[in-house]
Every structure is written in structure tokens, then in C-alpha cells.
Amino acid sequence: MSEFKFHAPDEYRKNAWIKTMDEYKQMYDQSIEKPEEFWTQMADQFYWEKRWDSVRDYNYSISKGPINIEWFKGGKTNITYNCLDRHLKDRGDQTALIWEGNSIGEDREISYKELYEMVCQFANVLKSKGVQKGDRVAIYMPMIPELAVTMLACARIGAIHSIVFGGFSADALSNRILDSLCKVLVTSDGVMRGAKAVPLKGNADTAMDLCEKQGHLVECCVVVNRTGSEVEMKQGRDVWWHEQIQAQSMDCPVEWMDAEDPLFILYTSGSTGTPKGVQHNVGGYMVYTGITFRYIFDYHDNDIYWCTADIGWVTGHSYIVYGPLSQGATSIMFEGVPNYPDPGRFWATVDKWKVNQFYTAPTAIRALMAQGEQWVEKYDLSSLRLLGSVGEPINPEAWKWYFKHVGKERCPIVDTWWQTETGGIMITALPYAIDQKPGSATLPFFGVNPVLLNEEGKPLEGACDGILAIQEPWPGQMRTVYNNHERFEKVYFQMFDGYYFAGDGCRRDEDGYYWITGRVDDVINVSGHRMGTAEVESALVSHKEVAEAAVIGFPHDIKGQGIYAFVTLNVSATPSDELLSQLKLHVRKEIGPIATPDIIHFAPALPKTRSGKIMRRILRKIATDEFDSLGDISTLADPEVVGSLIENHKELT
Ligand code: WT7
């Protein structure tokens, strides 16, 4: 049986930026053979106060010296100038952001001119609080326009923003503030979630207290009034957004930034240790997010584009704010959740704004698929021209449902593989040029040179299965781990000398299409959110009754992967339902609700080697019911442990 391939209808192809496979190939080859020429053409489409001296300088090999990645060196620009000022003349009155609030009927359209004024005004507030170029500003906010305004205001004056997803706990927030010593925190009183208002400022207070105990003072906390709930405002530190902006002018000159000055930090989980501060710099990130946005979503003037991500994650940074705005797009920012007030919300919203490009995550598709297609059929989705998927491999069933019921078998689906570290999309279809196969991210974007390696780091040819690595830098690549370049080198460049190691496994088929098979390290992907198993383990063992914990991912129908925790208690403690809920609560407090284990398995002991190393391979097999393929357990210090774990597991599931 030949594989299903989707070739987008000709009526869309006529106006597409890239129309055919030949065109893609020609541009791709140029981008790889003559990267400097290619990226010069791309970067020339942006405004530069001073042009660069060299397009690309890099060292990708630890054995040759420190890892170094630079793009457009010597160039001076400002990303907000490119996202706002340069559009004022031609599209000042065009809508830049459509804000779709949590409740039906609550929305706002913000033009480029208005957004420009809001950004200038808030940039002046930041300046009045002493924020200068290079200072770090933490942002802990729901999906409200002020969030985008704060990012752009920071970028305008050269401050480095560090957004912490609103679902993270006070502990997680304080760790992130401390790591980069943020001077100011911007937050809101609360968050609207479905029918209720959930407080946020209390978490911010706790986080700031924790920072103070560690000797770091957050000098100022700006609070947006979102829910009108009661909050404590600390004298001399906390101020209201609406009061602060009143006194400020709507004019704020941009700070011209070196292309390699930092733009933002975004924390992400890895195999080991605490989350890393992924640092992106101004010039390369700007060019890469703008160009990928235009080609991959085939964005044209007057289109309405919607990415459902939260700006707390990289997807929102790159494809709600920076990429779309630098291209003069109209971008929707959605505050709510897919199932409020009912599971038709996404489709009602597509219908309401006549959305042309819709970009979401497989976990959302699976959750809505489970509610039945009647929710989709209720609405007119004929405005849609393209669908996107991001965050985890999309299983063929979800792909087909999305394709059939949402895209009505006429919209191409771009399955976009990328990472917080890559800044922008790396492997994806170009909607009208590259035919799609359900579950494959298809082919590399311009300038991306992927390779599949075997365990020894040898590049594999043709159709094969291997470890995904990238051979040369691209402009959107992270430059360093904030304040810890050594960690950057170690995590991404030490494993395979001369390559960027992505952490994913991947298969390449006969057509050269890439199929991401999932992480090859101790990172799991829960609802498209990356989680280090080590982080969850360390949260668990910080509970007084826990002696040891081993956390692994297991297949989950909606979330993609769920969190399975094997927990050994201290001798004085006994397993109980109460302790089980206590442990879940404890993890929520330490990290946030997204890290809550789905299954906690109280294990009398864990399988270990004689040298004391936990055999995760065996735990993974147990959690996925693969009792027959446990492999060699004779090297265990106590092979008996395995039998009792299997018994326990069967009772639990
Ligand atoms: C990891 C990166 C990129 C924004 C959202 C996640 C997985 C991401 C895909 C995809 C298969 C994917 C990978 C990657 N992933 N997109 N289209 N197909 N897997 O960003 O939190 O940095 O996570 O998400 O495992 O390494 P992130």
C-alpha cells in the first residue's frame, strides 16, 4: 500500500510564496551552499540602523575552542522598530493584535499605531524605574495584551525579558528570577480561567520574598489589574500598571542594539539539573522568526493568523509576537482555554475572526477529538487555508481528524519541529510546495542542515534511524545558557563534536522526509511541554517522607506522555492515599500543576545496579506493561525487586 501524501489544491498555490517542490529545492540548495548570500537577502528585508560587517561567524567544534555563534556582527537594529515603527506609515491603522478574552464577547483589536503607543508608554515606565539596557525584567502574566506590550517595551530599551509561564509555582518563579537577577517583575493580580478568577500576585509575592531571603531584591513589581481581585501592594515596591502609564509619554526612542546583544532569556528543562536560561540575541532571532513565519504560514497581507500557544513558551514568543509583528501581520492572542465555555471555542473563534492560518498543539487536537466532531461541524471554517501543529509528534489519528474535520481535506498541515533552543521552526513542510505525510515533519527549512548520527556520532546516509543533530548554525539558534556558557557547550556540543545535539531521535524515509521519534534523553513531553524527569524527582525527594524517586514518561491518550513516579518512602512512613495526594500537591508547589505526576507508585525498593545506579530502562518497561522485554536483569543488586514492582503496577493500572 502506498503511503498517503497530501498535495495542496492549486487554487491556494497560485498566490503562495513558494509554489513548487522545485522552487523549494532551489532555494534550499542556495541556502546551504551559499548561506551568507542567502541570509543577506533575508536580512535585507529588515530595517538596520547600521548594516552588519559579517553575516556569519562560528565555531561548532569544542575540540577547536569555545563554541561561538554570531550572525550579522557589527549590525545595529531594534526588533521593536521592525515590529512597530516601520509599519506605521503603511499599516498604522491595521490591526496588529486581536485579543480574544477568556469570556465570549470579551475582545479587543489593537492597531499597529495603538500598540506602538502602548509599548512606548510602558517602555517609559520601565525607564522611570531605572531599567537600563542589559537589565533583566521578569514577566509572570496571563495572556493579556499587556504581556506582549511588556516584551516589546523591554526590547525597545534593550532590557532582557525573562517570561515565566503563569502556570509555574512561586518556587519556580523565584528560582528563575534569582538565576538572572531580575530587577523588575511585571505581573497581574490574577488570571481568568474558565468561569473563575485565579490569583497570581500572591505567587509573585512569595517568589519575591524567597528571592529576598537569598539576598536578591526585586526593586519594583508592576501589577496589571486583570481580575479586580484583592491583592497586597507592598509600599515602595509594588505599583499599578494603569497608574504608572498615565504620566508617561507615548514617544520613546529605540535603543539601537548590536545584532548580538541579548534579546531575551527563556528557561527550559533538560536531562539534568535546574532549568537552563536559553538566551536569544536580537539580530539573528529577528530575521529567523520573521522569515520562517512568512514562508511556513504563507502569510500575506490581510490574512488573520492564530497561534493558540501561551506566550510563556517559545512558540508564543516567536509565532504570536515577534515573527508575525515583524511581518506586519494580524495575530490573535487568546486568553482562554479550548473547552470554555464549551469544546467548540477554538472553532467559534476561527469563525468569528475568519482565521486563515491556525497553529496549535497535538494535545489540544486529541482533547477536542475526544469530544466529537459535532463541535467542529457547528461552525463555518471556510476561511481556513492552512493548519499547523507543534510541540510533539502528531499521531496519525489526530493528524487525520485535524485534516478532515478542521481542514475539510483542503488545508495543508505544517507539522513544525523545533525547540526553545532553535528560536524558530527547523523542520517543516512549506504548505503548498512540500507534500505532507501524516506524522512527518517533512523537510528542513532554508539554512537548516540536519544530520542523523549513530551512537558513535557517525553520520548516516539515506533512509535510516538515528539521533538528530544539526551541522551548521542558523540565525535563530540560541547563543548561550545565560551566565553559563560552559553548560551550553556541555549540553549541546559535547556529545557529538562539530554538531548541535538536539536531544531527539529521528527517522529519515526514502523520500528524505524526517519523522521525529521522541527524546533520546531524560526529558519527557507532557501536553507539548518539556519536563526534565530529574526536576520532578528532585521535587519529590524534597518532601520529608520521600527517600528516593524515579520518574519516567508513559504513553498518555491526550497528553502524549504522562508522568509516572516510582517513589520509595522513608522507613518511618507508610503509603496511603493521603500521602499520595500530599506528594502531588508538593510537586505542584515546587514546580507547578503541569508537573503533577499522573501515577505515583509506592515502591518498597527500586531496581539498581550493584554500583547503585537506578535502572530506568526496567522502570520504563514496567510502566508501559512490557513485562516480557525487561532485558537482562541479572546485573541488578536485587533482581527480586522487579517482580514486586510488576505486581504493584498491575494493581495501580
Ligand atoms: C521538543 C522541544 C517548539 C515549540 C514547542 C516545544 C518536541 C516539538 C515537535 C514536532 C515532534 C516535536 C521535540 C523537541 N517537538 N515539536 N513537530 N514533532 N516533536 O518546545 O519545550 O523546547 O520542546 O519538543 O522533542 O525537542 P520545547
Side-chain angles (χ1 to χ4, degrees), residues 268 313-315 359 389-394 415-422 427 441 502-504 516-519 525 528-530:
T268 194
W313 310 106
V314 74
T315 309
Y359 190 29
S389 172
V390 61
E392 53 175 311
I394 179 165
D415 175 358
T416 62
W417 175 83
W418 59 297
Q419 311 177 298
T420 306
E421 292 89 338
T422 70
I427 301 182
D504 281 303
I516 309 297
T517 50
R519 301 286 305 194
N525 192 321
H529 301 314
R530 207 207 287 196

Side-chain angles (χ1 to χ4, degrees), residues 122 125 129 177 183-189 200-209 212 217-224 230-244:
F122 193 65
V125 171
K129 299 298 168 194
I177 293 176
K183 195 168 179 174
V184 168
L185 170 63
V186 185
T187 188
S188 71
D189 55 349
L200 198 63
K201 173 66 164 48
N203 277 357
D205 290 338
T206 311
M208 287 187 283
D209 287 348
E212 207 175 325
L217 210 63
V218 174
E219 291 170 25
C220 172
C221 176
V222 186
V223 187
V224 177
E230 194 78 22
V231 294
E232 246 177 75
M233 297 292 279
K234 188 167 168 180
Q235 272 277 313
R237 185 193 68 187
D238 301 351
V239 293
W240 287 106
W241 175 290
H242 58 273
E243 289 176 5
Q244 291 296 310

Side-chain angles (χ1 to χ4, degrees), residues 147-161:
L147 168 53
V149 170
T150 306
M151 298 165 77
L152 292 160
C154 288
R156 190 161 188 89
I157 62 172
I160 305 168
H161 60 72

Side-chain angles (χ1 to χ4, degrees), residues 15 89-90 105 122 224 348 385 455 457 491 519 525 543 640:
N15 299 316
K89 201 169 124 269
D90 295 332
F122 193 65
V224 177
R385 210 172 69 218
E455 309 247 315
V491 173
R519 301 286 305 194
N525 192 321
H543 188 277
E640 307 264 295

Side-chain angles (χ1 to χ4, degrees), residues 240-513:
W240 287 106
W241 175 290
H242 58 273
E243 289 176 5
Q244 291 296 310
I245 56 171
Q246 271 168 19
Q248 299 299 338
S249 128
M250 292 186 189
D251 211 15
C252 172
V254 299
E255 179 83 37
W256 294 114
M257 305 289 285
D258 282 327
E260 286 298 339
D261 277 334
L263 173 64
F264 68 81
I265 305 165
L266 182 57
Y267 287 85
T268 194
S269 302
S271 296
T272 52
T274 51
K276 304 176 284 278
V278 169
Q279 180 183 314
H280 284 287
N281 291 1
V282 174
Y285 177 85
M286 172 180 82
V287 171
Y288 198 71
T289 52
I291 294 298
T292 46
F293 171 74
R294 170 144 45 90
Y295 285 125
I296 297 164
F297 299 102
D298 195 53
Y299 190 88
H300 291 264
D301 274 352
N302 304 317
D303 282 348
I304 307 289
Y305 159 87
W306 182 18
C307 165
T308 69
D310 190 293
I311 292 177
W313 310 106
V314 74
T315 309
H317 283 62
S318 301
Y319 297 111
I320 295 177
V321 181
Y322 289 120
L325 297 183
S326 83
Q327 300 306 301
T330 298
S331 175
I332 299 186
M333 179 174 178
F334 176 45
E335 185 190 27
V337 288
N339 56 3
Y340 178 80
D342 62 47
R345 185 64 188 273
F346 272 3
W347 324 122
T349 306
V350 167
D351 190 350
K352 172 176 170 187
W353 298 105
K354 303 292 169 229
V355 171
N356 303 110
Q357 293 94 348
F358 178 74
Y359 190 29
T360 196
T363 185
I365 299 167
R366 288 191 298 265
L368 294 175
M369 183 167 103
Q371 302 291 323
E373 47 262 19
Q374 72 276 17
W375 294 103
V376 195
E377 309 301 344
K378 268 174 77 172
Y379 300 97
D380 175 12
L381 305 185
S382 59
S383 58
L384 288 173
R385 210 172 69 218
L386 180 156
L387 304 174
S389 172
V390 61
E392 53 175 311
I394 179 165
N395 47 310
E397 301 77 60
W399 194 100
K400 283 176 188 148
W401 187 86
Y402 196 28
F403 178 69
K404 181 168 177 207
H405 296 288
V406 183
K408 314 292 179 199
E409 300 185 348
R410 53 179 177 78
C411 297
I413 298 182
V414 290
D415 175 358
T416 62
W417 175 83
W418 59 297
Q419 311 177 298
T420 306
E421 292 89 338
T422 70
I425 297 167
M426 300 287 283
I427 301 182
T428 177
L430 291 181
Y432 309 107
I434 300 174
D435 293 350
Q436 298 111 55
K437 301 183 192 181
S440 170
T442 77
L443 296 170
F445 186 73
F446 305 135
V448 175
N449 195 350
V451 60
L452 299 186
L453 306 173
N454 69 9
E455 309 247 315
E456 283 80 53
K458 199 174 139 298
L460 303 167
E461 300 291 328
C464 62
D465 225 312
I467 297 163
L468 179 59
I470 314 287
Q471 311 200 39
E472 283 172 285
W474 60 97
Q477 180 167 27
M478 75 183 282
R479 299 299 195 261
T480 190
V481 168
Y482 184 77
N483 242 339
N484 197 344
H485 198 64
E486 209 186 312
R487 193 167 174 203
F488 174 61
E489 296 178 326
K490 234 172 119 178
V491 173
Y492 304 104
F493 293 93
Q494 201 176 55
M495 183 87 94
F496 302 110
D497 192 45
Y499 299 102
Y500 166 79
F501 166 68
D504 281 303
C506 186
R507 177 168 73 84
R508 189 167 48 215
D509 69 16
E510 301 70 34
D511 293 336
Y513 276 37

Side-chain angles (χ1 to χ4, degrees), residues 90 191 471 536 540:
D90 295 332
V191 185
Q471 311 200 39
V536 186
L540 283 165

